[in-house]
Amino acid sequence: ENVFSRDAAKYCFLIANSTGFFCDNLEFNTFSDGLHLQTPLLYPNIGFLHGRTGDDLCAITVGDYAAYEISRGDARGVNIGHIHGHGAFELFRIAGNSPYKVHDVLIGKLSGTVTATGYSIRDDTNLIGTLVGSLTIGELAVDSVSETQMFPSIGSGQIDNIHVIKGTKLNAASTWLKCNASKINRYRCDDFEDSTLGSGFSLDVTGASGVYGSIEFGNVRWVAASGTPSCLVLEAYGTTTLNLLRVENARATGDASGRFLVRTASVAVACIDVESFYGTVNRVYGESGAPSAGCTIKLSKISGSLTYCAALASSPTVVLDEIYAACTSAVVNIGGTAVSPTIRAGRMVTTSAHINAG
């Protein structure tokens, strides 16, 4: 408690095979990790961690590089109050080894500045098949130059549930969420704000072998401007699949010519569901590459000033209900004679043309 550690040859603190570990107000200025926790790890209570590190400010690993490995096992009941970076490489990382699992982690807040990623869940050298039960973060507000959250390849591993209660994108060039993992059952951010007006996507799902259950955003506040990217961008290729992208209660301020709230680029997605949107953007949903065959686009409670509610370059099923938006061109734009979507319309109170068949 109340310890400042600097210039360690490797980790400032390495805690392994522990039960009921407690620490608070640890500060680091070092070349590698600040607090490194090796499983088995049961019910640690970690208060405030902060500082500048050349690698992870805090890490949980199931084992480690061969030269540093002490033990392997499960982790349960991990409670961390606040991790704050002053130019750290990364604030927090989980790297596992199946069949052992990091069952549940609760972090009150991740904040500050990092030179790479806010936090990540990933495989590493001698750490293969990361398994995570649930990770809950109360507040995520990290100025990261690349990604705020990154889930690169975890081989045969799996992430069951990630829940961010409040998230704020702070760096204009960064991506809020980048996924390239083998399997994530559910990711949800209850409250998301992006007012950076930068070049980074809020959502980037990439890679050749990702399988995702649902990615959900609630209370989205997005400040859009001409020249900034679309907000939630599904960039997925290869055999990546996503069952559901859901956006609830989204609001866009500003005027983004050519920008979309949700944009797909050749993504294998089963359903995109936007419920309650207000704002001034070009389109709530648009495509730069077709989603998978059989995709359903559900748009409901849409209002504001738009060019189109949806613009299609493929032939999904589009379900519209409670459309109140003033669309300068049409509610739905069908781009070309080869595009033949199925459109199911409920209540639409708008003076705009309903369908424009290109």
Side-chain angles (χ1 to χ4, degrees):
E1 190 172 8
N2 302 321
V3 176
F4 173 55
S5 179
R6 64 176 301 159
D7 299 339
K10 186 58 178 173
Y11 307 140
C12 290
F13 296 96
L14 171 58
I15 308 297
N17 195 9
S18 69
T19 298
F21 167 72
F22 168 79
C23 68
D24 189 24
N25 195 24
L26 303 184
E27 182 178 1
F28 313 105
N29 189 343
T30 194
F31 307 109
S32 184
D33 290 2
L35 177 62
H36 191 106
L37 305 166
Q38 271 186 45
T39 61
L41 180 66
L42 300 178
Y43 311 108
N45 190 348
I46 299 166
F48 182 42
L49 307 175
H50 60 114
R52 180 190 301 270
T53 53
D55 203 348
D56 310 313
L57 211 152
C58 180
I60 298 174
T61 61
V62 180
D64 207 330
Y65 289 83
Y68 306 109
E69 181 168 324
I70 298 174
S71 57
R72 295 187 183 188
D74 289 346
R76 295 181 183 273
V78 180
N79 192 333
I80 302 174
H82 185 185
I83 304 176
H84 183 84
H86 307 286
F89 179 79
E90 184 173 61
L91 295 184
F92 181 70
R93 178 184 298 189
I94 298 174
N97 256 315
S98 61
Y100 302 108
K101 186 173 185 177
V102 178
H103 287 270
D104 52 316
V105 179
L106 172 63
I107 302 175
K109 185 174 183 178
L110 294 175
S111 64
T113 59
V114 295
T115 60
T117 302
Y119 79 92
S120 67
I121 299 173
R122 64 173 79 192
D123 283 1
D124 207 335
T125 303
N126 207 37
L127 297 159
I128 306 298
T130 300
L131 295 171
V132 175
S134 68
L135 169 62
T136 301
I137 301 172
E139 184 175 354
L140 180 59
V142 179
D143 188 345
S144 57
V145 298
S146 54
E147 304 89 14
T148 305
Q149 305 161 92
M150 183 167 66
F151 313 123
S153 178
I154 54 175
S156 60
Q158 176 173 311
I159 302 169
D160 293 339
N161 182 62
I162 297 174
H163 184 195
V164 177
I165 296 173
K166 181 179 181 181
T168 306
K169 184 171 180 285
L170 295 178
N171 192 300
S174 70
T175 295
W176 170 258
L177 172 65
K178 187 169 185 177
C179 302
N180 182 17
S182 293
K183 188 172 183 181
I184 299 177
N185 285 340
R186 186 176 189 235
Y187 171 92
R188 178 171 177 84
C189 182
D190 288 343
D191 188 286
F192 174 68
E193 181 174 357
D194 180 0
S195 57
T196 61
L197 299 179
S199 58
F201 298 140
S202 293
L203 171 63
D204 185 8
V205 179
T206 61
S209 59
V211 179
Y212 308 97
S214 65
I215 297 176
E216 305 169 25
F217 287 86
N219 296 319
V220 175
R221 298 176 304 284
W222 172 45
V223 178
S226 181
T228 65
S230 304
C231 187
L232 302 175
V233 180
L234 292 176
E235 297 272 7
Y237 302 93
T239 57
T240 298
T241 61
L242 169 64
N243 288 335
L244 171 67
L245 171 66
R246 179 169 172 80
V247 184
E248 307 164 7
N249 192 25
R251 181 181 179 90
T253 58
D255 187 355
S257 176
R259 305 302 166 186
F260 317 149
L261 176 71
V262 176
R263 178 172 69 83
T264 63
S266 304
V267 58
V269 56
C271 181
I272 297 174
D273 184 0
V274 179
E275 181 180 354
S276 185
F277 170 83
Y278 175 81
T280 303
V281 293
N282 187 282
R283 304 158 199 186
V284 175
Y285 171 78
E287 301 168 350
S288 64
S292 58
C295 176
T296 298
I297 313 297
K298 298 170 65 177
L299 306 176
S300 62
K301 301 177 183 177
I302 307 298
S303 58
S305 179
L306 313 169
T307 303
Y308 307 110
C309 195
L312 308 176
S314 65
S315 305
T317 296
V318 179
V319 180
L320 304 168
D321 192 27
E322 296 189 61
I323 306 300
Y324 307 108
C327 301
T328 57
S329 293
V331 174
V332 177
N333 183 67
I334 300 174
T337 57
V339 178
S340 55
T342 299
I343 299 176
R344 299 172 181 170
R347 179 178 174 84
M348 294 198 293
V349 183
T350 175
T351 58
S352 309
H354 288 177
I355 297 175
N356 177 37

